Amino acid sequence: MSDEPDPYALIEAVALRKDRAAFAVLFGVYAPKVRGYLLRSSRDEVQADEWTQEVMLRVWRRAGSYDPAKAAPSTWIFTIARNVRIDAARKVRPELDPADPALVPSQPLAPDSAVDRQRRQHRVRAAVGALPDAQAGVLRGAYFDGKTLRQIAEEQELPLGTVKSRVRLAMARLRQHLEGT
Amino acid sequence: MTPIHHIPEEELIAYAGGATTEGLALFVATHLALCPDCRAVVEDWEAAAGLELEDQEETELPSGLLDRVLAELDDTPLPADEAPPDRAVLPQPLRGYVGDVHELQWRRLVPGIRQVVLPFQIDGTPLRLFELQAGLKIPVHTHTGTERTLVLTGGFTDQAGQYGPGDVSFLDDSENHVQVIDPGEPCIALIAADGPLVPRSVTAWLLSWFVTA
Ligand SMILES: [Zn+2]
């Protein structure tokens, strides 16, 4: 047995028992990472602290709706942090409603394919890591930092065309990499 | 039946990261509601971002942040989400903006074509909901930019193939094309197209209508 806290168990304790001690452990693990993530889009530390507070508050309030079969704890917390970042910019993110009768449902996952799924997600991340730095940087700017290609171009002082062609190259390589494994 | 014509992965990545404008996110998310395949792609990129979060260099938290959050924790449950209706034709999130099919505030453009204008643009092109009469033939037209279409009901056929509910079509200015709305029910589609484009095709269509009528 390792002493690493198990985030699945912690979220469950918050969801079922409103367990404040479990929440404090979860906070200790994720709040510093969430703050690091938020500081990537705003250099303002006071603001990053406020947003981190908001993210962790939503973790507390929404723990009951966390579905471990659908997403890893880190994925779930990333989506909360992303949405706080979007709200803070006074923007709206239209999202689908999983309970909507007009939604076309996914095929239920076989027990093995949940593991396949996790493996595939690690592969996506590994494939990004295997890209040349310039391409990985542009892609990470999009899927992690949530920056538009125009913002990435401005920050890196590159022509927009260069950033676009890096994305194209990165996607072609990723496809090769993911299909070849 | 799930869609066969999808949204390019670059746009799914931008949606996963939260980089899309409200108009593009509305278009993407409405396709996602109809497309389990693209939903899985978005979930994979969100998971990759989660792994990135795990590896985030930890910053030192200001002292007292945990106490401040603990002081705010409340035990009142979140208000329950409004229960979705039993049946719906148009999916969320689109339905939240325009209502379901029987509530749409259609304006007739020309015989056979009605529209609802949405307050958004995608890459500078206005986003609209169109209803195109079954069997309608929209003659050759070109575009001054990219036209994107998401079919919601019915379908159409052009030289690239057949498009049914959930399918996305992209056409750029190099393509001359004819669209034929499939017989049966009218085709309702979410379309982002240049200002000049639709009037041009509609004008052409109107002209052919007068000629053949
Ligand atoms: Zn799709």
Side-chain angles (χ1 to χ4, degrees):
Chain A
M1 280 292 290
S2 81
D3 293 337
E4 286 277 299
D6 170 11
Y8 288 94
L10 293 170
I11 297 174
E12 195 182 55
V14 171
L16 297 179
R17 297 187 296 278
K18 290 281 163 199
D19 184 331
R20 287 171 180 246
F23 176 77
V25 179
L26 210 53
F27 186 98
V29 175
Y30 285 102
K33 298 177 197 289
V34 165
R35 186 170 180 271
Y37 163 74
L38 293 169
L39 277 171
R40 293 169 70 92
S41 33
S42 161
R43 297 264 150 249
D44 183 339
E45 302 218 357
V46 176
Q47 211 157 54
D49 293 345
E50 271 171 29
W51 296 347
T52 303
Q53 209 173 325
E54 175 63 22
V55 172
M56 296 313 294
L57 213 50
R58 289 191 193 183
V59 166
W60 168 264
R61 290 186 178 142
R62 294 182 186 172
S65 65
Y66 170 66
D67 179 359
K70 278 217 73 180
S74 59
T75 307
W76 181 61
I77 293 173
F78 163 76
T79 59
I80 293 174
R82 173 198 65 199
N83 292 355
V84 165
R85 189 176 55 68
I86 294 171
D87 290 352
R90 296 205 175 77
K91 295 204 168 122
V92 176
R93 175 186 172 82
E95 289 196 72
L96 57 89
D97 172 3
D100 186 20
L103 181 117
V104 175
S106 309
Q107 292 299 320
L109 279 182
D112 303 355
S113 57
V115 177
D116 282 352
R117 198 61 198 284
Q118 265 192 0
R119 224 176 270 145
R120 187 151 54 98
Q121 293 167 347
H122 279 269
R123 257 180 22 219
V124 169
R125 171 78 193 298
V128 173
L131 291 171
D133 284 349
Q135 291 172 24
V138 170
L139 224 49
R140 198 171 286 122
Y143 81 87
F144 188 52
D145 300 331
K147 289 176 179 151
T148 62
L149 299 189
R150 194 172 298 279
Q151 283 169 321
I152 295 168
E154 276 165 20
E155 278 181 17
Q156 302 190 7
E157 296 178 3
L158 290 167
L160 182 58
T162 307
V163 172
K164 283 187 174 167
S165 75
R166 281 184 188 172
V167 171
R168 262 196 304 277
L169 287 171
M171 294 315 297
R173 276 205 192 215
L174 275 186
R175 235 158 261 143
Q176 262 181 358
H177 191 108
L178 291 173
E179 276 155 23
T181 46
Chain B
M1 270 277 289
T2 57
I4 46 171
H5 302 281
H6 300 281
I7 296 213
E9 191 160 0
E10 296 88 303
E11 289 189 356
L12 298 178
I13 289 174
Y15 180 78
T20 37
T21 59
E22 188 173 350
L24 180 56
L26 172 61
F27 191 93
V28 171
T30 302
H31 173 73
L32 292 179
L34 301 173
C35 184
D37 294 336
C38 286
R39 280 209 298 276
V41 173
V42 168
E43 284 165 13
D44 284 350
W45 283 99
E46 286 175 344
L51 295 171
E52 200 79 52
L53 180 70
E54 289 282 4
D55 291 350
Q56 215 19 231
E57 207 177 308
E58 300 192 358
T59 58
E60 208 181 319
L61 293 181
S63 63
L65 195 63
L66 174 59
D67 289 337
R68 265 191 274 161
V69 176
L70 285 174
E72 273 196 66
L73 299 186
D74 42 48
D75 297 331
T76 35
L78 284 179
D81 291 338
E82 213 177 302
D86 291 337
R87 347 166 10 107
V89 177
L90 299 183
Q92 292 288 29
L94 178 66
R95 202 170 68 243
Y97 286 87
V98 296
D100 207 349
V101 273
H102 57 281
E103 300 163 312
L104 297 169
Q105 303 287 313
W106 289 119
R107 287 188 180 253
R108 200 169 87 148
L109 257 182
V110 292
I113 303 182
R114 301 194 292 177
Q115 67 168 5
V116 174
V117 178
L118 284 148
F120 303 115
Q121 299 198 331
I122 296 178
D123 295 332
T125 62
L127 188 62
R128 282 175 275 196
L129 198 63
F130 277 93
E131 185 193 61
L132 307 149
Q133 201 177 70
L136 192 69
K137 185 176 171 193
I138 298 172
V140 176
H141 59 289
T142 54
H143 302 273
T144 51
T146 300
E147 176 187 84
R148 60 168 74 218
T149 301
L150 167 60
V151 176
L152 299 161
T153 70
F156 70 86
T157 302
D158 67 13
Q159 78 279 11
Q162 199 276 331
Y163 296 80
D167 282 326
V168 178
S169 137
F170 288 87
L171 290 162
D172 68 28
D173 47 11
S174 63
E175 292 162 288
N176 269 309
H177 64 286
V178 183
Q179 289 171 328
V180 181
I181 308 305
D182 294 341
E185 59 176 322
C187 175
I188 297 179
L190 191 58
I191 300 181
D194 287 343
L197 149 76
V198 172
R200 199 194 304 166
S201 63
V202 166
T203 312
W205 178 79
L206 199 57
L207 216 60
S208 71
W209 184 73
F210 279 122
V211 170
T212 55

